[in-house]
PDB file of all heavy atoms in Angstrom:
ATOM      1  N   GLN S 101      52.932 -72.651-127.150  1.00 78.00           N
ATOM      2  CA  GLN S 101      54.272 -72.113-126.909  1.00 78.00           C
ATOM      3  C   GLN S 101      54.227 -70.627-127.178  1.00 78.00           C
ATOM      4  O   GLN S 101      54.169 -70.190-128.328  1.00 78.00           O
ATOM      5  CB  GLN S 101      55.284 -72.794-127.835  1.00 78.00           C
ATOM      6  CG  GLN S 101      56.678 -72.848-127.279  1.00 78.00           C
ATOM      7  CD  GLN S 101      56.821 -73.820-126.110  1.00 78.00           C
ATOM      8  OE1 GLN S 101      56.239 -74.895-126.124  1.00 78.00           O
ATOM      9  NE2 GLN S 101      57.573 -73.420-125.094  1.00 78.00           N
ATOM     10  N   ASP S 103      56.359 -68.085-125.602  1.00 85.00           N
ATOM     11  CA  ASP S 103      57.542 -67.271-125.320  1.00 85.00           C
ATOM     12  C   ASP S 103      58.269 -66.902-126.615  1.00 85.00           C
ATOM     13  O   ASP S 103      58.200 -67.614-127.615  1.00 85.00           O
ATOM     14  CB  ASP S 103      58.497 -67.997-124.372  1.00 85.00           C
ATOM     15  CG  ASP S 103      59.024 -69.294-124.965  1.00 85.00           C
ATOM     16  OD1 ASP S 103      58.206 -70.257-125.077  1.00 85.00           O
ATOM     17  OD2 ASP S 103      60.199 -69.355-125.350  1.00 85.00           O
ATOM     18  N   PHE S 104      59.001 -65.778-126.583  1.00 90.00           N
ATOM     19  CA  PHE S 104      59.637 -65.241-127.787  1.00 90.00           C
ATOM     20  C   PHE S 104      60.759 -66.144-128.300  1.00 90.00           C
ATOM     21  O   PHE S 104      60.937 -66.293-129.518  1.00 90.00           O
ATOM     22  CB  PHE S 104      60.187 -63.835-127.511  1.00 90.00           C
ATOM     23  CG  PHE S 104      60.792 -63.195-128.723  1.00 90.00           C
ATOM     24  CD1 PHE S 104      59.995 -62.703-129.751  1.00 90.00           C
ATOM     25  CD2 PHE S 104      62.178 -63.102-128.856  1.00 90.00           C
ATOM     26  CE1 PHE S 104      60.553 -62.123-130.883  1.00 90.00           C
ATOM     27  CE2 PHE S 104      62.747 -62.515-129.983  1.00 90.00           C
ATOM     28  CZ  PHE S 104      61.924 -62.032-130.994  1.00 90.00           C
ATOM     29  N   ILE S 105      61.534 -66.746-127.409  1.00 89.00           N
ATOM     30  CA  ILE S 105      62.647 -67.594-127.833  1.00 89.00           C
ATOM     31  C   ILE S 105      62.134 -68.778-128.649  1.00 89.00           C
ATOM     32  O   ILE S 105      62.733 -69.150-129.678  1.00 89.00           O
ATOM     33  CB  ILE S 105      63.449 -68.103-126.612  1.00 89.00           C
ATOM     34  CG1 ILE S 105      64.105 -66.928-125.871  1.00 89.00           C
ATOM     35  CG2 ILE S 105      64.508 -69.117-127.046  1.00 89.00           C
ATOM     36  CD1 ILE S 105      65.078 -66.148-126.723  1.00 89.00           C
ATOM     37  N   SER S 106      61.040 -69.342-128.252  1.00 86.00           N
ATOM     38  CA  SER S 106      60.453 -70.453-129.016  1.00 86.00           C
ATOM     39  C   SER S 106      59.986 -69.984-130.392  1.00 86.00           C
ATOM     40  O   SER S 106      60.155 -70.689-131.394  1.00 86.00           O
ATOM     41  CB  SER S 106      59.271 -71.060-128.238  1.00 86.00           C
ATOM     42  OG  SER S 106      59.710 -71.623-127.026  1.00 86.00           O
ATOM     43  N   LYS S 107      59.404 -68.790-130.442  1.00 87.00           N
ATOM     44  CA  LYS S 107      58.963 -68.245-131.726  1.00 87.00           C
ATOM     45  C   LYS S 107      60.174 -67.955-132.632  1.00 87.00           C
ATOM     46  O   LYS S 107      60.101 -68.156-133.857  1.00 87.00           O
ATOM     47  CB  LYS S 107      58.159 -66.950-131.500  1.00 87.00           C
ATOM     48  CG  LYS S 107      56.942 -67.108-130.581  1.00 87.00           C
ATOM     49  CD  LYS S 107      55.891 -68.002-131.184  1.00 87.00           C
ATOM     50  CE  LYS S 107      54.706 -68.194-130.252  1.00 87.00           C
ATOM     51  NZ  LYS S 107      53.866 -67.022-130.084  1.00 87.00           N
ATOM     52  N   LEU S 108      61.278 -67.492-132.023  1.00 89.00           N
ATOM     53  CA  LEU S 108      62.499 -67.230-132.790  1.00 89.00           C
ATOM     54  C   LEU S 108      63.079 -68.537-133.328  1.00 89.00           C
ATOM     55  O   LEU S 108      63.510 -68.614-134.487  1.00 89.00           O
ATOM     56  CB  LEU S 108      63.520 -66.529-131.885  1.00 89.00           C
ATOM     57  CG  LEU S 108      64.752 -65.908-132.556  1.00 89.00           C
ATOM     58  CD1 LEU S 108      64.343 -64.774-133.486  1.00 89.00           C
ATOM     59  CD2 LEU S 108      65.728 -65.385-131.495  1.00 89.00           C
ATOM     60  N   PHE S 110      61.388 -71.316-133.923  1.00 86.00           N
ATOM     61  CA  PHE S 110      60.468 -71.795-134.948  1.00 86.00           C
ATOM     62  C   PHE S 110      60.688 -71.051-136.277  1.00 86.00           C
ATOM     63  O   PHE S 110      60.769 -71.670-137.341  1.00 86.00           O
ATOM     64  CB  PHE S 110      59.028 -71.590-134.460  1.00 86.00           C
ATOM     65  CG  PHE S 110      57.976 -71.803-135.507  1.00 86.00           C
ATOM     66  CD1 PHE S 110      57.578 -73.082-135.867  1.00 86.00           C
ATOM     67  CD2 PHE S 110      57.378 -70.717-136.145  1.00 86.00           C
ATOM     68  CE1 PHE S 110      56.605 -73.282-136.838  1.00 86.00           C
ATOM     69  CE2 PHE S 110      56.413 -70.909-137.119  1.00 86.00           C
ATOM     70  CZ  PHE S 110      56.029 -72.198-137.463  1.00 86.00           C
TER      71      PHE S 110
END
Side-chain angles (χ1 to χ4, degrees):
Q101 208 71 39
D103 62 289
F104 183 74
I105 296 299
S106 296
K107 303 294 178 71
L108 192 64
F110 169 79

